[in-house]
Amino acid sequence: MAGNTYGTIFKLTTFGESHGKAIGGIIDGCPAGLEIDFDAIQRDLDRRKPGQSKIVTQRKEPDTVDFLSGIFEEKTTGTPIGFQIVNTNQKSKDYGHIKDTYRPSHADYTYDKKYGNRDYRGGGRSSARETASRVVAGAIAKQFLKGITFHAFTSAVGDLSMDTPYQELDFNEIEKNDVRCADPAFAKACEEKIKVIKKQGDTIGGVITCVIQNVPIGLGEPVFDKLHAELGKAMLSINAVKGFEYGSGFEGAKMKGSDHNDYFNNDGTTKTNLSGGVQGGISNGMDIYFKVAFKPVATVMQKQETINAAGETVEMQGKGRHDPCVVPRAVPIVEAMAALVIADFVLRDKSVRL
Amino acid sequence: MAGNTYGTIFKLTTFGESHGKAIGGIIDGCPAGLEIDFDAIQRDLDRRKPGQSKIVTQRKEPDTVDFLSGIFEEKTTGTPIGFQIVNTNQKSKDYGHIKDTYRPSHADYTYDKKYGNRDYRGGGRSSARETASRVVAGAIAKQFLKGITFHAFTSAVGDLSMDTPYQELDFNEIEKNDVRCADPAFAKACEEKIKVIKKQGDTIGGVITCVIQNVPIGLGEPVFDKLHAELGKAMLSINAVKGFEYGSGFEGAKMKGSDHNDYFNNDGTTKTNLSGGVQGGISNGMDIYFKVAFKPVATVMQKQETINAAGETVEMQGKGRHDPCVVPRAVPIVEAMAALVIADFVLRDKSVRL
Amino acid sequence: MAGNTYGTIFKLTTFGESHGKAIGGIIDGCPAGLEIDFDAIQRDLDRRKPGQSKIVTQRKEPDTVDFLSGIFEEKTTGTPIGFQIVNTNQKSKDYGHIKDTYRPSHADYTYDKKYGNRDYRGGGRSSARETASRVVAGAIAKQFLKGITFHAFTSAVGDLSMDTPYQELDFNEIEKNDVRCADPAFAKACEEKIKVIKKQGDTIGGVITCVIQNVPIGLGEPVFDKLHAELGKAMLSINAVKGFEYGSGFEGAKMKGSDHNDYFNNDGTTKTNLSGGVQGGISNGMDIYFKVAFKPVATVMQKQETINAAGETVEMQGKGRHDPCVVPRAVPIVEAMAALVIADFVLRDKSVRL
Amino acid sequence: MAGNTYGTIFKLTTFGESHGKAIGGIIDGCPAGLEIDFDAIQRDLDRRKPGQSKIVTQRKEPDTVDFLSGIFEEKTTGTPIGFQIVNTNQKSKDYGHIKDTYRPSHADYTYDKKYGNRDYRGGGRSSARETASRVVAGAIAKQFLKGITFHAFTSAVGDLSMDTPYQELDFNEIEKNDVRCADPAFAKACEEKIKVIKKQGDTIGGVITCVIQNVPIGLGEPVFDKLHAELGKAMLSINAVKGFEYGSGFEGAKMKGSDHNDYFNNDGTTKTNLSGGVQGGISNGMDIYFKVAFKPVATVMQKQETINAAGETVEMQGKGRHDPCVVPRAVPIVEAMAALVIADFVLRDKSVRL
């Protein structure tokens, strides 16, 4: 109920604040007998971690995950997988100056009003640091989903947008540039843009596209838990996300039915895929693809006026080491959430027919 | 797990196929002591029902709801509210011709593959007829949420799009035209467009905007069950929806942080509202607004080639009385789902602090 | 949350008050492709219904179930199965005399305090009439669990108790007597006892034993959702139940470990079965057996003093047609709940290993 | 679904095996603003920990809990409370001898059959070590439930049974003896019995009675989630439990209605309390009391024949330091689970009426 759990059978519950002792979680419901590739998990964590390139925050955190249970002799046992990532950056620095200050477009104000008691060091629970736990669980979900591939990449930074159909992209390019885009030229342009923005002490939004391939037919539960509805929720639950569309998306709303319909080939595949791999909330075996919009980071390195808990106007200046654009580091988070969604539906689908 | 329940405390479970005996549901968790306005429920059903105007399907169904439990002497008792809407249109007509045919961009193929057993009369469970049950529950949720207002309206039909800020619209106009738009001139243009499309035997997509006002501060559970994530899921669970964005949405991804931040007034309200009333997944007391994209209806009144269960190419011709554009009838559904989301969060919020 | 749903994958949600229009429910999660034997369902309903013999209440209600969805051409489709049983006994009689009276050891007082609004006609929602919906769902669960057998029977009425090990009983005897006991002589004694009690205008408690056979190994989720813990909850949720024990039960608490341990045969079966078919919360393939204690019905046909809503002492006299002993009619309810528990665990078990 | 979570709003999810790195859990849904008394938590852990007296296992484990999140400046923040207890007793000893051996009346066989992969060191996940996490969460639940008291005590060891009504006992005596009984003379007798049993290398079962006082009226959700049904499930989920009864329990099944009914006083209290504080599944403000039966520990210090994974007969000899009787150490576990049940219902009750 308190919203810290994702999934129904393959379930992740996370805990932890940005400046507490540790963050972590419990994965409950991962099937027994899965061999775990620990290096692959760490690789995904490294793709998310701060300090990895010049266009992300320069904070240094190793983000090493420690598994406490549920894995024995490198295989899952079917019991809950407890894990933690110790917060090494948990300095005893003075947070007095922000204790009572509500940063604009952050969650300080709403947390205070909702809970009446807030861990004001950094973002506390509202910090995107929590997503490291999602990346751990998502990496395990991917291993469970062997054969299904998840490729997310940056498709827009600010007003720079890449419209090459994903079929024409080489996903191997994604990890070759700091922006995580499958198109090297576009990646270059984005990188330049982010550097300019950073120099201005400002931040910029962006869009991530995600493609899931080799999805079995039949995933998703119609009515309320449609496959794309769960994907949408999962994406919208990532910090800074403002929008989600799949298949033809908002463009599809402009079309006529006769143009929008995906006609069948005789093997059940479709000639076009404006449906985005989902029909009636259920996967049809075609590629699933969707877009996720991220707003610009709220912490800018500029002076801003805001209010404090007493309602007085105060001046604040963002300090520290923040991301000028979250999109490059959000790529593995999008993949992780997509993997959690698909893993849960794969398990849900097991009870559907005799 | 089977996905026919929405909500965690204020819960709706629906049942029913388009051509079965009845559709209906159980609302569990509606607080006791709520006086029920039955006319208001029927009014919302009437806004959704077929045959209400010239630009929607001409099928005739009275869609009268019958309450079976949970309401005593016109007040809720805290026990489950069972209700049904009898299917009067359940003719014993011959469905043999579509029994084995997979209509393009419908759920026929995916249901068959998932369940191996499908009620092939009309859309069965995948029919938007199911949403009538949502409208019933949403209407009760609205009554529970007295003071909070929900205004959805058509903001695009095909490539016709209205960009007037909602603050400048008169919501009283919405029910005065068949398209359900708050701008009479735009409504007129959309109506003309839909008529043309209908004459072509074609269909067209559209967009609905929804504005929720007088929302208390503090609704939404951060991390996975953020307020906007649940709204997104709820909207994406409506038949034909392809995208969701709130506040600045996809446009926000193009902006700089210094432009996107909503600066505070001294009373905690904000000068702008690009956040769309939600910060860190929690309502901040400002208006919540979002957009929902609907694809064009898949059933067109034109000849189409498709396949049957044996994988053979067959020709089919849409018949019957279908909507050329779902958006006008989807307006009350969007409102209903929004009300269900908010009602659930209002109840969830009761346990959050001492 | 409001407690009207049982199960996690094979789920039953019920609605309805004793004197409302109808009772019924939604079964969500029953796998697609199950052929339904409607007669078998009605047979179980008939075993529970009032008026079936001289030792139960003489109220007449046909208790005919009407399925509204989820079954097509006599097979389940995987969509929710909605059903209702119309209340034919819903006379417009005057309930004014009990409206404000709290009957002793009934739920009148607690419902009033909890909800502040109560359907005071008969027991309302607290009436055991609700269990008819459970019997419907349980009958379907039994059909899903083909091969697993459920045999419940009366093993005590008041201080009459039968201690014959169940292995020596002939379950075919159960339905041959009105008490539903597998031992004809004991059944006769119980019947006499109930008749005497009834003549006194009094009521009497009893015990039901239930044996589940041919259970696959591996059902149950350890830690909180142990197989016997769910069975216990399911039984304790039946009206009038005061206790539950399985295997050696309370007697086992008196034993030494060396006597209590069930030693293995080489095929994994055990020489004894004090474990009652469950070890570490998981079925081990041996028979599951347990006992359920029922208190005497609170409504006695004698004058009693009680209080009204104003806290004044008032005199009341039970009237109407009540059961002198609930145990004979509770036998199919115990079986139904046991079947719901096992069906849910069978489905849960499908996701446990690769 | 995998059964490692208890509760619906006040939720505990646990992880950890007896010989893994750590056990622990996440408490999600504890309201914000609760001041935490860490010493009280440790006191409850100390009541459960091994080595505390001569009649329990002589294993030494400090069982110190480490909180990782959710508590800030000694108050809860409403975010998940992550905690762990490091396993100090996690020696690299050789478990080869039990790796393939199924100990009688343990969970070795059923885990192996269910999961196909088992942490065979000690009991793994099926070890009662997991209950230390429950004690942590229960201690916090008790602090949340200030004013409501939970008193569990030993009321039987083997065939020694104490039938003094709890009203005549002095709960202050409980912690003054190693058996945790409120009657010093009876405690002495039990202690002697346990010592004799221990000398025999055997084990013995027992019964715990629990009394909950000052419970508000209205807790519990009728139908499936009755207050006593949840208490029953919670108790039956504790390792080694075989039975549960509340109020009049199995004795009540022998009584007549006219004797069993609890007649009202004018203030709504009842003259007797055979209902055990619960009517219709809802608390009525009277004391809640119930009994829990524990089987004798399966590990006896005697030679036993059993089988291995190949189905061969093998001889085994319990070694190590096991409890001759679990009841003394189970007292705080019973209290902890009772507190978790009540805490959850207190929060659930907040949404029940307008």
Side-chain angles (χ1 to χ4, degrees), chain B residues 245-265:
Chain B
E245 60 176 17
Y246 75 104
S248 61
F250 277 86
E251 280 304 305
K254 300 181 185 164
M255 295 174 72
K256 293 198 214 176
S258 55
D259 294 330
H260 193 276
N261 281 351
D262 292 321
Y263 295 96
F264 282 105
N265 296 311

Side-chain angles (χ1 to χ4, degrees), chain A residues 6-12 28-31 141 144-145 150 219-221 225 227 230 336-351, chain B residues 1 114 233, chain C residues 9 351, chain D residues 1:
Chain A
Y6 184 79
T8 63
I9 297 186
F10 195 109
K11 283 206 273 201
L12 168 67
D28 199 15
C30 182
F144 165 60
L145 298 169
F150 298 84
L219 302 188
E221 301 294 327
D225 296 355
L227 175 47
E230 279 296 337
M337 290 308 300
L340 287 174
V341 170
I342 300 296
D344 197 40
F345 277 124
V346 164
L347 295 179
R348 288 173 76 166
D349 196 49
K350 287 181 184 290
S351 335
Chain B
M1 304 296 307
K114 185 176 185 76
K233 177 179 171 179
Chain C
I9 297 185
S351 337
Chain D
M1 302 294 307

Side-chain angles (χ1 to χ4, degrees), chain A residues 214-234:
Chain A
N214 303 320
V215 182
I217 304 176
L219 302 188
E221 301 294 327
V223 185
F224 297 110
D225 296 355
K226 293 185 164 85
L227 175 47
H228 57 267
E230 279 296 337
L231 281 170
K233 177 179 170 180

